[in-house]
Amino acid sequence: ISYAADGGLYAEMVQNRSFEDNTEQPVHWTVVGGAQAGICSEGNLNPHQTRNLSLTVCASGDGICNDGFWGMNIVEGITYRLSLWIKADEAWDGSLTASLVSRNGRSLGDAVVEQALKADEWTKLAATITATGTDHEGQLQLTFSQPGTLHLDVVSLFPPTYKDRENGCRIDLAQLLEDLHPRFMRFPGGCYVEGQTTSANNLHNRFKWKNTIGPIEQRPGHLSVNWGYNISDGFGFHEMLQLAEDLGAEPLFVVNVGLGHGWEVPLDELQPYIDEALDAIEYCNGDASTRWGAVRAANGHPEPFGLRLLEIGNENANFYFDNNRDQSEHYFERYIQFYRAIKAKY
């Protein structure tokens, strides 16, 4: 909600890392030198990514630059982890220079990656960059040694994270949360769970936990119609559970009951939502022999998270119970279906 995760608690420093935030232009990215850049919807990295960046490098030193979330907080002596996916239209044999730069273009450290690319084949690159200076409004710059048409996707830059989690949270903000000694942590948030329908999004912008787990390149992200920006879902269901555990707080997960801002699912069509809740419990608590417990283990947490608390819907028991003017259409009849199904299995 309101950049609490992307650009906030979630430590990712690149904004619009998957080039999904705008269908027409690579927002938060600018070209370097004589490069030409545009959004491409063909030859994507995988079925979860619908766009990539097409970058034409005309001369050595051309490239692209990301301004982060209101600038990148680059701190001298800190080592940052870079990863990205890249492919070339034709075979390409050159090098990528990843640089941290100040707002006025001064170098704050770089790393060079030598990489030969086969035609039309995605390759993952990784590097570390240790900052040689400090700028709280820095940027990430990627430049290339040889001309060619390249495609980029899921460009990611991370500082050190809280509890050293690979896809984790900012140390400073997470430490402030830890210092509060929270007894429980409710997630993923209120209206964020419900989403808001328009003629264009067809209910698809509600939070769906299964789209927010696994490698970041397999997360499609979603548009937050309620607040008007795209969400990477990098800070997903697993990361929320992990943060609660790291804080010593009991996790409280909120599930959707087929209600949201401007939409509702009929009472006799709730089973997919109930199944989604049951699967979430299994992801949290099932052992590695269960379907979703095995997925959790593969995602790096072999032991169950031990979820005990589930919130059925968000702010849904309001005044207009027989219509959805306030997201409350037949809430109690919805609640009891979830209650019975969960109690039957657990």
Side-chain angles (χ1 to χ4, degrees), residues 307-335:
L307 182 75
R308 292 192 317 120
L309 306 177
L310 205 69
E311 181 174 326
I312 309 301
N314 168 66
E315 300 173 5
N316 298 129
N318 298 321
F319 186 74
Y320 300 104
F321 299 128
D322 292 326
N323 65 59
N324 203 38
R325 278 190 284 170
D326 56 1
Q327 290 79 246
S328 63
E329 194 264 352
H330 288 90
Y331 169 75
F332 299 108
E333 291 90 335
R334 296 170 186 273
Y335 173 88

Side-chain angles (χ1 to χ4, degrees), residues 52-64:
N52 61 79
L53 180 78
S54 176
L55 179 69
T56 299
V57 176
C58 299
S60 179
D62 286 357
I64 198 162

Side-chain angles (χ1 to χ4, degrees), residues 257-290:
V257 292
L259 291 176
H261 292 251
W263 66 275
E264 70 272 350
V265 170
L267 284 171
D268 59 357
E269 297 179 14
L270 284 181
Q271 194 58 49
Y273 292 80
I274 294 170
D275 291 342
E276 188 175 296
L278 292 172
D279 289 346
I281 297 171
E282 185 173 280
Y283 184 94
C284 296
N285 296 348
D287 62 35
S289 68
T290 64

Side-chain angles (χ1 to χ4, degrees), residues 2 22 33 105 127 154 175 190 205 222 230 236 244 247 284 290 292 319 334 336 343:
S2 302
N22 189 290
V154 196
Q175 186 60 55
N205 73 302
H222 70 283
N230 210 60
L247 294 174
C284 296
T290 64
W292 290 105
F319 186 74
R334 296 170 186 273
I336 198 63
K343 288 295 184 180

Side-chain angles (χ1 to χ4, degrees), residues 1-3 191-192 195-196 201 204-206 221-231:
I1 298 174
S2 302
Y3 293 96
C191 301
Y192 190 79
Q196 178 172 313
N201 71 50
H204 290 303
N205 73 302
R206 73 175 180 89
H222 70 283
L223 174 66
S224 173
V225 176
N226 304 65
W227 293 282
Y229 55 87
N230 210 60
I231 299 166

